[in-house]
Amino acid sequence: MKPSENIQNWRLLHALNKKGTLSSAAEVLGIELSEASRRISSLEKECQTIFLDRNSRPAKITLEAKRLDVQAGRIARAYNAALLQLEAIQKEQVGRKQIRNIRISLPANFDKVPLLCALYEYEQKHTDLHLEFSADSGIEALLEHLTDISMAGYLWRGKGVYALPIAQCFNFIMASTHYLRRWGEPRTIDELLSGKHRILMRNRNNRFFSDKLTNGEHTAYVPSSADIFYGDAAACREMLLSGSGIATDLSIGYVSEYIAQGLVKPILVGWHREPWTFYVYCRAEDSENNLIRTIMAHIAQKAFSQISNQWEFWYERLGLPRPPELSRPADKNVRITK
């Protein structure tokens, strides 16, 4: 099969146009970055057209890729519509047990294993239920019916969703011991932001992005003039572990294994990315669906204890003072925007 005959390649090109980076597009489709790069390269070779300018850092989408996005989007939507129609046909088959398929997106910057295990146990108890998972698909994918439930570390202020707050989350600024041996530890927040140290941050086009750092009533912003590496959660974690920079916005649970091993430690105690709240979302039209609401409640209950316990555990174990701006984590009011 030619690369241009593979629908998944056009879905990837469409996701690349929407997300802006190849790593984010790969996360949406649930494939490895290396696989996404191979697919784009094979499509470029056959079409004799460059879709990703790799001379830029980070790589930029070319005008040719943008011109093809309308057609790529139509292919992707037609493919999704065909899958939905096929699912409907399968459900109509006489004597076939109806399987309810629920697609769930979870944050990349989050220790998903305990939650995944809990949801797997729930699925095992309901033989007519099948759960599928992806990472950081975003609210846009939810509204486009590519997912059914989405957990995210930001509040969606657009229309068409039902949101259930889960928990408020804190992190700390962290560096690897390898980095600190090589480059030393910044003693003040001003030194960190002066350009002497490389800062690792999530991509600016990620809705989770924030350049705001807080310490009680004190606030600082990472200036654009600083030495900044932008990447997805996985890339920032790899750069952190390799001693290539200081991370400001990774969640503690995402690197807890390396903190336990003594490979990563907090620095500039008291400073952290501004607190954020996790929410679990569904489409507003599904807000009265009992199955959707039950799974959302299951996610919220499990994630609440996981999120709160993780950062509180490490703050206590490492002897860090509790954040002065700590407030009750969950606003119990739900939000429906139509």
Side-chain angles (χ1 to χ4, degrees):
M1 178 187 294
K2 295 180 180 179
S4 62
E5 296 173 345
N6 190 330
I7 292 175
Q8 301 301 332
N9 292 343
W10 295 109
R11 291 183 67 208
L12 177 60
L13 185 63
H14 181 53
L16 177 61
N17 273 285
K18 289 187 64 178
K19 291 295 183 178
T21 66
L22 190 59
S23 58
S24 296
E27 286 185 1
V28 170
L29 267 64
I31 61 176
E32 296 292 333
L33 178 59
S34 58
E35 173 66 12
S37 179
R38 185 191 65 77
R39 287 178 177 271
I40 289 295
S41 295
S42 64
L43 193 60
E44 288 176 325
K45 184 176 181 180
E46 182 195 345
C47 298
Q48 297 184 355
T49 303
I50 300 300
F51 298 136
L52 203 58
D53 181 7
R54 297 168 179 82
N55 293 321
S56 301
R57 289 293 182 271
K60 293 183 179 180
I61 304 169
T62 64
L63 178 60
E64 289 76 14
K66 294 179 179 179
R67 291 174 63 184
L68 279 172
D69 184 50
V70 173
Q71 289 75 21
R74 288 173 181 170
I75 293 173
R77 287 188 291 273
Y79 174 77
N80 293 328
L83 289 182
L84 289 174
Q85 185 62 47
L86 179 59
E87 182 180 353
I89 292 172
Q90 291 173 337
K91 289 178 180 179
E92 293 171 359
Q93 297 297 317
V94 177
R96 182 182 178 90
K97 188 173 183 179
Q98 182 173 336
I99 302 297
R100 295 173 293 178
N101 188 57
I102 303 297
R103 299 156 299 176
I104 302 172
S105 171
L106 299 175
N109 186 22
F110 177 71
D111 179 12
K112 297 178 280 295
V113 174
L115 181 56
L116 288 171
C117 290
L119 290 171
Y120 175 74
E121 291 178 5
Y122 180 84
E123 180 186 39
Q124 292 299 103
K125 295 177 181 178
H126 300 81
T127 57
D128 60 341
L129 177 64
H130 176 65
L131 303 180
E132 295 180 2
F133 299 96
S134 60
D136 268 353
S137 296
I139 307 303
E140 295 88 350
L142 181 68
L143 294 173
E144 291 182 8
H145 292 256
L146 299 176
T147 57
D148 303 298
I149 295 173
S150 185
M151 178 179 164
Y154 56 84
L155 176 61
W156 173 262
R157 301 188 182 279
K159 296 182 178 181
V161 301
Y162 170 95
L164 180 64
I166 300 177
Q168 191 176 44
C169 192
F170 291 83
N171 74 340
F172 42 66
I173 300 174
M174 59 186 83
S176 70
T177 53
H178 174 59
Y179 179 91
L180 297 176
R181 284 195 301 268
R182 183 177 182 185
W183 302 106
E185 181 175 343
R187 298 301 175 185
T188 65
I189 193 67
D190 290 335
E191 182 182 342
L192 172 66
L193 305 179
S194 66
K196 296 179 181 178
H197 296 271
R198 177 178 295 156
I199 298 175
L200 313 176
M201 300 179 67
R202 300 290 298 278
N203 290 315
R204 296 186 67 90
N205 62 351
N206 189 305
R207 293 187 182 276
F208 174 80
F209 174 83
S210 174
D211 57 3
K212 183 178 179 180
L213 305 176
T214 64
N215 181 2
E217 297 180 356
H218 302 286
T219 299
Y221 290 87
V222 180
S224 58
S225 58
D227 182 5
I228 305 172
F229 169 86
Y230 294 105
D232 60 13
C236 287
R237 182 172 65 178
E238 292 303 311
M239 291 287 284
L240 172 69
L241 296 175
S242 68
S244 301
I246 295 174
T248 60
D249 60 3
L250 288 179
S251 71
I252 297 174
Y254 194 53
V255 293
S256 59
E257 173 186 353
Y258 309 103
I259 299 173
Q261 295 173 9
L263 301 176
V264 171
K265 60 172 288 187
I267 63 171
L268 295 173
V269 173
W271 284 97
H272 49 79
R273 178 203 184 277
E274 64 172 327
W276 68 96
T277 299
F278 280 104
Y279 296 83
V280 60
Y281 296 89
C282 72
R283 289 180 293 276
E285 65 201 58
D286 294 331
S287 60
E288 301 301 324
N289 183 301
N290 289 333
L291 176 60
I292 295 290
R293 289 289 299 272
T294 299
I295 296 176
M296 288 178 67
H298 201 66
I299 292 173
Q301 181 181 19
K302 182 64 180 179
F304 175 84
S305 59
Q306 181 183 343
I307 292 167
S308 300
N309 291 343
Q310 276 184 344
W311 73 259
E312 289 181 354
F313 169 81
W314 283 109
Y315 263 70
E316 181 177 350
R317 178 169 174 176
L318 297 172
L320 304 178
R322 289 172 65 82
E325 61 270 53
L326 179 65
S327 62
R328 291 297 299 171
D331 175 4
K332 296 302 182 182
N333 296 321
V334 298
R335 174 186 298 266
I336 302 179
T337 54
K338 299 182 178 179

